[in-house]
Amino acid sequence: MFRAALQNVDLFWVILLYVVFVPETGCGSADADSCHEVKTAYMMRQIGPVELVPDRPGTDDSLRVCVHPGPSCCTSKMEDSYMAAVRSETQQKMRSYSFELKYLIAGHTKTFESLVSFTSNLTSTLFDSAYSSLASNCRPLVFHLFSDIKRHLSGDSNSSLDNAVRRFYNDLFPLVYRRLLNPGIGHLSTSSYSSLSTNHDECLRLTRQDVSPFGLHPRLLVSSLSRALGPGRALSRLLQLAGEVVNATEKTTLSRECGRGLVRMQYCSHCRGLTLIRPCTGLCVNIMRGCLVGVSELGAPWGSLVVLLQRLAATLATSSNHNSMELALLAVRNHVNDAILHAQLHGPRITATVSRGDDGIEGVSSAHTSDDMKVLTRQTFNNGRRKMKKHCVCVFVYRSFPLKGSRGDKSRSLKKLSREFQGSIQRYQWFFSELPEMLCESEMEVEQHTCWSGQDVVESYAGRVVGSTLKAQKENPEMTVRNTDPVLKGAKQKLEKLTQVAITCSLIKISFCAPFNSGGESINHVAFTWRKMPSQHPPPPPPPPPPMPHAQTHTLHVHHAH
């Protein structure tokens, strides 16, 4: 019995001595006799050359950040490596958090580009199916028209829908005149045709607005696009601004003072052999807020920007057919078709008008070219006048169905995509205000009863946690914060300026709003129609229908006997 008790006492002293003199793995002190755990962590995190880590703790008077009165497993060169690593790690975490936001912004911008590309191809098929003689020459014209529309929709301040549509119809008129209204021009000899074509085409372009071969259809197209593209143009402008802000935050440079704080928070514990302990929450929040004070300063204007993005997306998601951007772009095909039909139905008048103006046109071309064209155009008209009683033109019109929202493929509906974007962007309203806390949450994945205070192991952080504003950061106990990053400061000023202009334009209607949405229409009734939702009044009536409905025509010339 006495022997058993003696064995238990011996076992007790053995365990006690083991606990006192053998350090706990990963949480012991470098005062022991090995830096093996520190070297392993240094190698696993790929911080730098593992040869920089000493085998045993020692004293290094050149340490500047992780200063410790006792033995340390760190050297000054290791501190430099820790500094570079911790900066890179923090910026990588910031990029990972903002990746989804960048993808969301770029994805909705791509939606507009895809819609413009689709409607451009759709408009080109009009010439392939109904006006094959014009198809090869009109494809570049359609491409340039929609390229200008795309530039306007993207918010380019130098773009103009009026100029784009005018240029398109100016270039279209010579083709319609020669190929559809006066196809006999194409029967000239190759040399004669080539010499007169360029000069006469230029004259037709210059006189298109005076001749007015397409009636009111060019003006109706400008009106339709200006009315419907306004919200999309404003949204594109703000999406571009949002993307610039996110890129600026990712490229921000972390100051050296920030780097010192991050090293003290994450790696100074390693110098003591404590490779597994986590920093205290208060320490992390203070240091992250100090490092990202410029990012946090973006919080308020960014929140206003997100509200504007939501409301503009809601405008696109709930717009009537009369103001639908999707339908307006799809309707370009019908506007062009109606314009060509108008020219065909008024062919004799157009030819006569051009013929009467030939005397003025001759001066810009060679005598031979002008005479050929003069004889040809007058002969065409005179022959048409002499035979006017002997033949009639029968036009068979196939009415097209009115354009409606895409029902067959809901996944590609602009309204549905806008509604999804409206809900998704809302989650990021306070993104930059909360980013420091989000970065700290990744550091606090494991709950522990003790934490690293930057100097030692404690049960809780004793320092005061300060706010995220620049003024509050003047009292940060962990680091000295003087100024914000110049790039972020510029981004904040631009963000505040544009969002304030946009908000002002949504509250009052003044000409001051025009520069925000320059390019033909003012923002007061276009870009912020969301302020009128839900409308208490019916939408304004659509413009009067063109002389002919949307149609494809087949012309049959019936000649009567003399």
Side-chain angles (χ1 to χ4, degrees):
M1 189 75 178
F2 175 76
R3 184 177 299 175
L6 183 61
Q7 289 178 349
N8 289 338
V9 171
D10 292 341
L11 181 61
F12 169 78
W13 283 107
V14 170
I15 295 175
L16 180 61
L17 290 173
Y18 180 83
V19 171
V20 171
F21 292 103
V22 179
E24 182 182 355
T25 303
C27 294
S29 170
D31 293 344
D33 58 354
S34 174
C35 294
H36 175 73
E37 294 294 334
V38 178
K39 183 174 291 190
T40 300
Y42 195 88
M43 180 179 61
M44 293 295 292
R45 297 196 181 197
Q46 298 181 343
I47 293 173
V50 73
E51 294 81 11
L52 296 178
V53 184
D55 294 328
R56 295 180 179 279
T59 302
D60 189 345
D61 296 333
S62 61
L63 290 175
R64 301 176 302 277
V65 181
C66 301
V67 179
H68 174 55
S72 174
C73 283
C74 290
T75 64
S76 59
K77 291 185 178 180
M78 288 176 62
E79 277 189 340
D80 294 336
S81 298
Y82 281 141
M83 181 84 72
V86 79
R87 283 177 170 177
S88 177
E89 289 170 3
T90 303
Q91 289 178 320
Q92 180 59 39
K93 288 177 184 177
M94 291 173 62
R95 284 191 290 270
S96 66
Y97 275 102
S98 62
F99 174 79
E100 185 180 350
L101 175 59
K102 288 184 65 175
Y103 182 81
L104 179 63
I105 293 171
H108 206 62
T109 302
K110 190 68 175 178
T111 297
F112 291 166
E113 296 176 358
S114 299
L115 178 59
V116 172
S117 177
F118 174 78
T119 51
S120 175
N121 294 333
L122 180 67
T123 303
S124 293
T125 61
L126 167 69
F127 297 97
D128 295 328
S129 59
Y131 308 105
S132 57
S133 61
L134 305 178
S136 60
N137 295 96
C138 284
R139 286 193 196 96
L141 305 187
V142 172
F143 175 80
H144 288 305
L145 171 64
F146 279 90
S147 295
D148 289 338
I149 291 175
K150 180 180 177 180
R151 288 178 56 238
H152 179 82
L153 189 57
S154 68
D156 189 337
S157 59
N158 296 321
S159 65
S160 168
L161 287 176
D162 188 66
N163 291 339
V165 173
R166 184 190 304 116
R167 188 183 308 113
F168 171 76
Y169 280 109
N170 285 348
D171 292 339
L172 180 64
F173 179 41
L175 297 173
V176 171
Y177 184 84
R178 288 191 284 105
R179 305 285 179 83
L180 299 182
L181 306 187
N182 295 280
I185 294 179
H187 297 300
L188 291 174
S189 64
T190 303
S191 60
S192 176
Y193 175 73
S194 176
S195 61
L196 67 87
S197 175
T198 302
N199 293 318
H200 194 259
D201 283 0
E202 183 61 27
C203 294
L204 290 174
R205 290 188 187 94
L206 295 175
T207 59
R208 197 271 302 174
Q209 288 185 291
D210 296 329
V211 176
S212 188
F214 303 115
L216 295 176
H217 296 291
R219 191 179 305 172
L220 291 175
L221 177 56
V222 173
S223 176
S224 172
L225 291 176
S226 297
R227 181 179 62 251
L229 298 188
R233 176 178 166 85
L235 182 57
S236 294
R237 183 83 176 273
L238 294 181
L239 285 173
Q240 182 181 0
L241 175 60
E244 292 174 359
V245 171
V246 175
N247 288 335
T249 60
E250 291 186 347
K251 296 177 182 178
T252 183
T253 303
L254 300 179
S255 68
R256 184 163 186 83
E257 181 67 18
C258 166
R260 290 168 62 91
L262 291 172
V263 170
R264 191 169 64 254
M265 178 183 77
Q266 291 188 353
Y267 289 117
C268 281
S269 58
H270 289 211
C271 300
R272 305 273 291 276
L274 307 173
T275 58
L276 299 181
I277 196 167
R278 299 279 181 168
C280 298
T281 302
L283 172 69
C284 182
V285 170
N286 272 340
I287 291 179
M288 286 299 184
R289 283 179 176 177
C291 289
L292 305 181
V293 61
V295 175
S296 300
E297 287 282 295
L298 295 171
W302 173 264
S304 300
L305 175 63
V306 170
V307 171
L308 292 173
L309 290 173
Q310 285 182 267
R311 290 171 174 172
L312 287 168
T315 299
L316 294 176
T318 59
S319 60
S320 63
N321 286 351
H322 181 64
N323 295 314
S324 169
M325 185 176 82
E326 185 175 14
L327 295 185
L329 290 172
L330 291 170
V332 172
R333 185 181 194 273
N334 287 339
H335 280 289
V336 174
N337 187 43
D338 291 343
I340 296 175
L341 286 176
H342 183 278
Q344 286 181 305
L345 292 174
H346 297 84
R349 176 190 64 78
I350 296 170
T351 303
T353 303
V354 172
S355 298
R356 285 196 298 271
D358 271 344
D359 292 336
I361 295 175
E362 291 176 32
V364 299
S365 58
S366 64
H368 176 72
T369 301
S370 300
D371 290 342
D372 285 347
M373 179 57 68
K374 185 175 180 180
V375 172
L376 178 63
T377 54
R378 287 182 177 172
Q379 182 179 0
T380 303
F381 174 66
N382 290 336
N383 288 343
R385 183 170 53 190
R386 284 197 299 270
K387 295 182 179 180
M388 190 64 69
K389 297 181 180 180
K390 299 181 182 179
H391 88 283
C392 63
V393 178
C394 300
V395 180
F396 297 93
V397 179
Y398 298 93
R399 296 179 179 270
S400 63
F401 292 102
L403 290 171
K404 297 182 179 180
S406 51
R407 293 182 178 180
D409 188 0
K410 287 291 184 182
S411 63
R412 296 190 64 82
S413 166
L414 180 61
K415 289 189 175 183
K416 185 175 185 296
L417 293 174
S418 297
R419 195 173 295 111
E420 291 175 353
F421 175 79
Q422 180 187 0
S424 298
I425 196 65
Q426 183 180 9
R427 302 199 308 267
Y428 294 93
Q429 183 172 356
W430 308 113
F431 177 74
F432 293 116
S433 299
E434 299 173 351
L435 184 58
E437 286 78 4
M438 288 190 287
L439 293 174
C440 285
E441 286 177 1
S442 65
E443 295 293 330
M444 308 301 158
E445 295 173 354
V446 180
E447 182 178 355
Q448 294 181 337
H449 298 292
T450 58
C451 60
W452 177 254
S453 68
Q455 300 293 335
D456 209 340
V457 178
V458 297
E459 292 184 359
S460 62
Y461 182 67
R464 183 169 67 92
V465 178
V466 297
S468 58
T469 64
L470 180 59
K471 182 179 180 180
Q473 283 299 308
K474 301 295 183 181
E475 307 297 326
N476 194 325
E478 300 299 336
M479 56 187 296
T480 302
V481 180
R482 295 184 176 88
N483 297 302
T484 59
D485 185 278
V487 176
L488 295 180
K489 188 175 182 180
K492 179 188 176 183
Q493 292 174 347
K494 185 175 182 180
L495 192 58
E496 287 177 333
K497 180 180 178 180
L498 284 182
T499 52
Q500 185 58 47
V501 170
I503 292 173
T504 302
C505 292
S506 70
L507 297 176
I508 53 178
K509 297 181 179 181
I510 50 177
S511 59
F512 171 69
C513 303
F516 179 80
N517 201 39
S518 59
E521 69 282 347
S522 62
I523 196 173
N524 52 1
H525 75 284
V526 173
F528 288 90
T529 51
W530 52 264
R531 225 187 147 264
K532 300 179 182 179
M533 297 188 317
S535 178
Q536 298 178 355
H537 305 283
M548 289 297 295
H550 305 310
Q552 294 180 354
T553 63
H554 299 274
T555 304
L556 176 64
H557 297 273
V558 182
H559 296 272
H560 300 280
H562 294 282

